[in-house]
Amino acid sequence: MRENNLDQLSKLMKQSSYTVILTGAGMSTESGIPDFRSSQGLWTKIDPMQVARPETIEENYKLFHEFYKMRVETLNTKNPHDGHRIIADWEKRGLVKTLITQNVDGFHQLAGSQKILPLHGTIREFRCHHCQKKATESDFIHKKPCQYCGGPLRPNVVLFGESLPMSLLEQAMVEIHKSTLVIVIGTSLRVYPVSQLPEMTKGKKVFINRESVATTLFDLVIQGNAQEVLMALETRL
Ligand code: APR
């Protein structure tokens, strides 16, 4: 069953003239970064509406800062895995045109992917929540106020209730409309508007995920761990 699915997907990839990959937090769990909604996910331990909203920056900066400081420091001890590197290599070989990601860990960038649309921002860059001026990771980690206006510092991630960078979202829609194959990896597809992107393609839609997700959207579903599946696919390309 699984072998057949892998053979099918490798065939689709070879036939596809414009493949787009969309990833979520499941792409980084094999690097030791927890996802959000599966059994060990962050949101099973912490209420996102408490910590991941802009209001928290004003109402309870200590809580906001503790949560994101923990995530930044966790990141500094982890690395991309072979799955990230395989996707970057596929781009170099022309097998993948664009990578759309919800992940803020920067692992796709570190692994060498170039054409990336990081729709939910990045946890590796920081700014003042008030004057928007850039800030350093060190100033954020050490809970320093903005050096220009004294405001609170935050990572450049899209918080719940904030809108995605419109230009990035528009580029993502253009890429999806051009795609002949969309491969969705490691996401519960629970967060709008990214969740709506896969169905916008006129091409084939493939889902690679550890858990099954209630959807009839996909032409092919491969249940498994991203790194393992990507390595198995690589042997077929
Ligand atoms: N390989 C494949 N799939 C995996 C793996 C893995 N190694 N590990 C976890 N998964 C799957 C889980 O089964 C789950 O279905 O990845 C999915 C991750 O879903 P979420 O935790 O909801 O993460 P994601 O879909 O990226 O969340 C979207 O929500 O909290 C916000 O901004 C945050 O970008 C995030 C957005």
Side-chain angles (χ1 to χ4, degrees):
M1 173 59 173
R2 165 79 161 272
E3 298 308 304
N4 178 30
N5 284 346
L6 290 167
D7 292 339
Q8 272 190 63
L9 178 48
S10 56
K11 195 156 157 258
L12 286 173
M13 286 180 69
K14 289 172 192 162
Q15 289 165 350
S16 169
S17 58
Y18 208 97
T19 298
V20 173
I21 291 183
L22 166 63
T23 62
M27 186 69 214
S28 295
T29 55
E30 289 158 280
S31 287
I33 305 288
D35 65 11
F36 297 99
R37 295 175 183 82
S38 60
S39 55
Q40 300 305 317
L42 279 176
W43 298 154
T44 63
K45 302 179 179 74
I46 303 162
D47 176 1
M49 291 306 132
Q50 289 293 318
V51 294
R53 294 185 318 141
E55 292 81 358
T56 310
I57 298 174
E58 305 293 357
E59 293 159 9
N60 189 343
Y61 188 71
K62 183 174 176 301
L63 179 68
F64 177 87
H65 180 264
E66 264 168 21
F67 177 65
Y68 282 99
K69 177 173 184 282
M70 174 273 291
R71 289 186 64 193
V72 173
E73 290 181 334
T74 305
L75 255 194
N76 291 335
T77 63
K78 311 291 181 199
N79 296 295
H81 56 60
D82 285 344
H84 294 102
R85 283 186 280 278
I86 286 169
I87 290 176
D89 196 42
W90 287 352
E91 178 188 336
K92 289 186 184 66
R93 286 149 56 190
L95 282 165
V96 169
K97 297 295 182 195
T98 301
L99 171 63
I100 300 168
T101 189
Q102 301 170 91
N103 298 344
V104 297
D105 56 33
F107 281 176
H108 285 303
Q109 292 85 337
L110 283 173
S113 286
Q114 302 286 316
K115 184 91 186 292
I116 301 180
L117 298 173
L119 297 185
H120 289 173
T122 173
I123 206 164
R124 294 186 185 270
E125 291 166 12
F126 302 83
R127 70 177 191 267
C128 173
H129 185 56
H130 290 169
C131 72
Q132 307 306 318
K133 284 219 173 66
K134 272 192 180 182
T136 64
E137 177 175 310
S138 168
D139 281 357
F140 174 75
I141 292 289
H142 294 99
K143 216 170 170 182
K144 292 208 179 128
C146 169
Q147 59 177 324
Y148 302 99
C149 76
L153 303 183
R154 54 165 291 169
N156 281 352
V157 296
V158 178
L159 299 171
F160 284 102
E162 293 184 323
S163 49
L164 278 65
M166 267 327 283
S167 64
L168 280 183
L169 187 56
E170 281 159 9
Q171 287 176 65
M173 289 177 177
V174 165
E175 292 303 301
I176 292 284
H177 282 122
K178 286 159 74 173
S179 65
T180 51
L181 171 63
V182 174
I183 305 173
V184 179
I185 307 175
T187 175
S188 59
L189 286 173
R190 296 264 295 277
V191 175
Y192 180 88
V194 176
S195 53
Q196 310 301 302
L197 289 175
E199 59 201 272
M200 293 178 181
T201 182
K202 296 181 203 58
K204 291 285 187 193
K205 297 174 284 290
V206 177
F207 189 48
I208 299 171
N209 208 60
R210 187 168 60 189
E211 292 159 2
S212 61
V213 170
T215 170
T216 56
L217 175 67
F218 293 95
D219 302 291
L220 180 64
V221 175
I222 299 176
Q223 197 160 343
N225 283 320
Q227 180 177 222
E228 283 171 40
V229 171
L230 289 164
M231 289 170 77
L233 273 172
E234 174 59 7
T235 62
R236 290 164 170 77
L237 292 169

